[in-house]
Amino acid sequence: MLTTFVIGLREGLEAALIVGIVAAFLVRNGDRRALRAMWIGVALAVAACLGVALALNVAGQRLPLTARAAFEGILALVAVAGVTYMLVWMRQHGSAIHSDLEAKAESALAKSSMVALVGLAFLAVIREGIETAVFLFAILDGSSRVGAGITGAILGIAAASVLGYAIYRGGAKIDVARFFRVTGVVLVFVAAGLVAMAIHEFAEIGWITWGQSPAVDLTFIIAPGTVRASIATAFLGLQAVPTYAEILGWLAFVIPMTWYVLRPTTQRVPISVN
Amino acid sequence: MKGLAISLVTCVALLSGCSGGSGSEGTVIDTTLNNTSIDLSVSTVEAGTVTFAVTNEGDQVHEIEVFAGSNTVLPVDKNVANVSGLTLIDEIEDILPGGNVRLTLDLPAGDYIVICNLPGHYEMGMVTKLVVTG
């Protein structure tokens, strides 16, 4: 049960982080309508994942490696673009948002930004969701310990959701500058992990052939099968033994973007309604 | 919501793009994962549809990766087999202790190696070879 708990936590946490931060972000902007749209999107994504996994299960099929890896890799890159967009927006508007702006609601976030954020939450769920659902059905089919296995996996996903919810609650309360700073750094790491994962997926199907030797053994941080590893994987997005290409892609995102998010503001940007 | 529509279309497209004759498993190879070995019920099969019926009899989570290649002696680097340069045919990750999974592949004639490349597992002996004859 611990085994499947850890897998559920690992698969759910990254999506929960993104959804939690997007939800807090929308609430901070007083955009309740967008928040509702986001939850509908997330529910649809979960339903779509279960539907696809169920259909595959009934057909006795798996997606071929090329389709699977291309799908996950490309969605990871789209999610990176979404997160980057969010970071830039937070950076440009963060220092200008005062709590009184929250009351002004709707005008704070342009419709296009809202759609992008809702889409990002949807993507975050659907990307890992299909594989997770396939994994859940595989336990139902094959494991000698079905009950405990399924319970563990669902508890793992639930624990991830609770963490996402905690971020949402915390994010909706703490002061806005700190919220943007903390979530900004978290998002930088999550997005860098998505870059590394995209490289990993593309390498599996031969789209990237450079730098494929193992670079470093991170099992001391990411010991497979532990709760700590699940959390580290969700935050860092790295394999236990990443390749040089994965490490390089990860660093190429983390270094400039951390600097971008944390560098002190030289001047206060006037409030501009985007 | 546009992203939603696109993603749903992608899902359906991927689903309908599934390969393989529906339900046909071809030659079934009983595949047993132990913590120190991967055992196949046969070491030679004819080219065509092949199904690895995998049982994890070890007490740890394992994975099964099928690569094109004939050499089971790979350089070990940072506790994993260095598979750079090898073509991955397909894989299933997160196979639980006591778990059963089935991996159906269309294999042309050639040599293949089957490994579990979680850190340390290759070195423990989780590698074997499959010859597919034409």
Side-chain angles (χ1 to χ4, degrees), chain B:
Chain B
M1 284 292 128
K2 198 164 143 208
L4 168 66
I6 291 169
S7 296
L8 281 178
V9 168
T10 314
C11 290
V12 174
L14 281 171
L15 192 56
S16 56
C18 274
S19 66
S22 56
S24 167
E25 293 205 312
T27 311
V28 176
I29 305 174
D30 290 325
T31 307
T32 309
L33 309 180
N34 289 298
N35 291 344
T36 54
S37 69
I38 297 179
D39 301 314
L40 306 180
S41 56
V42 290
S43 55
T44 306
V45 292
E46 290 209 3
T49 309
V50 173
T51 295
F52 295 88
V54 184
T55 306
N56 181 359
E57 292 188 352
D59 60 0
Q60 298 169 34
V61 174
H62 291 299
E63 63 182 17
I64 177 172
E65 293 185 316
V66 181
F67 288 93
S70 56
N71 191 359
T72 56
V73 182
L74 302 167
V76 173
D77 204 353
K78 319 289 189 301
N79 290 321
V80 296
N82 187 338
V83 292
S84 65
L86 292 180
T87 303
L88 179 66
I89 307 297
D90 209 334
E91 63 175 2
I92 295 185
E93 296 173 333
D94 293 330
I95 305 171
L96 303 171
N100 298 297
V101 294
R102 298 176 94 78
L103 179 60
T104 301
L105 302 172
D106 256 335
L107 294 182
D111 291 346
Y112 298 87
I113 59 171
V114 181
I115 73 172
C116 170
N117 208 14
L118 291 173
H121 292 206
Y122 171 80
E123 286 171 283
M124 293 291 289
M126 295 195 72
V127 59
T128 194
K129 186 172 165 179
L130 178 70
V131 176
V132 177
T133 55

Side-chain angles (χ1 to χ4, degrees), chain A:
Chain A
M1 187 163 128
L2 177 67
T3 315
T4 53
F5 175 82
V6 164
I7 293 170
L9 184 63
R10 185 191 70 202
E11 299 299 314
L13 197 49
E14 171 203 303
L17 287 177
I18 292 181
V19 171
I21 291 172
V22 166
F25 191 74
L26 292 174
V27 166
R28 290 228 77 124
N29 280 282
D31 209 336
R32 291 274 168 192
R33 224 160 31 103
L35 188 65
R36 205 167 58 232
M38 188 207 78
W39 283 122
I40 292 170
V42 168
L44 283 176
V46 170
C49 292
L50 287 172
V52 170
L54 185 64
L56 287 171
N57 195 265
V58 168
Q61 292 277 7
R62 302 176 71 242
L63 291 175
L65 176 72
T66 316
R68 239 168 44 227
F71 175 72
E72 286 191 18
I74 290 168
L75 282 198
L77 288 187
V78 175
V80 169
V83 170
T84 306
Y85 172 84
M86 190 168 168
L87 288 169
V88 170
W89 196 96
M90 281 158 69
R91 180 71 204 180
Q92 286 176 349
H93 300 259
S95 57
I97 292 181
H98 298 294
S99 53
D100 64 334
L101 187 65
E102 288 170 30
K104 290 181 191 150
E106 319 263 311
S107 61
L109 207 54
K111 198 152 183 277
S112 59
S113 312
M114 186 201 99
V115 170
L117 288 181
V118 170
L120 177 61
F122 176 83
L123 268 185
V125 173
I126 208 160
R127 204 184 67 78
E128 287 282 11
I130 291 181
E131 189 138 335
T132 308
V134 166
F135 170 76
L136 288 176
F137 284 118
I139 305 179
L140 279 176
D141 271 0
S143 175
S144 57
R145 294 165 232 168
V146 171
I150 282 287
T151 310
I154 289 171
L155 283 179
I157 295 168
S161 310
V162 167
L163 280 171
Y165 183 73
I167 285 191
Y168 159 69
R169 292 296 294 182
K173 282 192 181 126
I174 65 173
D175 95 277
V176 74
R178 237 174 77 207
F179 169 67
F180 277 10
R181 208 160 273 261
V182 172
T183 54
V185 172
V186 170
L187 285 175
V188 165
F189 280 89
V190 168
L194 289 168
V195 171
M197 276 179 209
I199 292 172
H200 180 76
E201 300 293 339
F202 293 156
E204 282 193 337
I205 49 180
W207 292 3
I208 293 175
T209 51
W210 177 86
Q212 287 308 304
S213 292
V216 54
D217 185 355
L218 297 176
T219 44
F220 67 97
I221 312 172
I222 307 170
T226 62
V227 172
R228 190 186 52 173
S230 297
I231 293 169
T233 305
F235 277 99
L236 302 177
L238 288 172
Q239 306 280 321
V241 185
T243 62
Y244 284 101
E246 287 163 32
I247 287 282
L248 210 70
W250 190 84
L251 288 174
F253 192 90
V254 162
I255 295 171
M257 287 307 287
T258 307
W259 172 80
Y260 177 76
V261 167
L262 291 182
R263 89 200 134 105
T265 23
T266 44
Q267 58 178 53
R268 289 184 77 83
V269 186
I271 294 176
S272 63
V273 176
N274 187 7

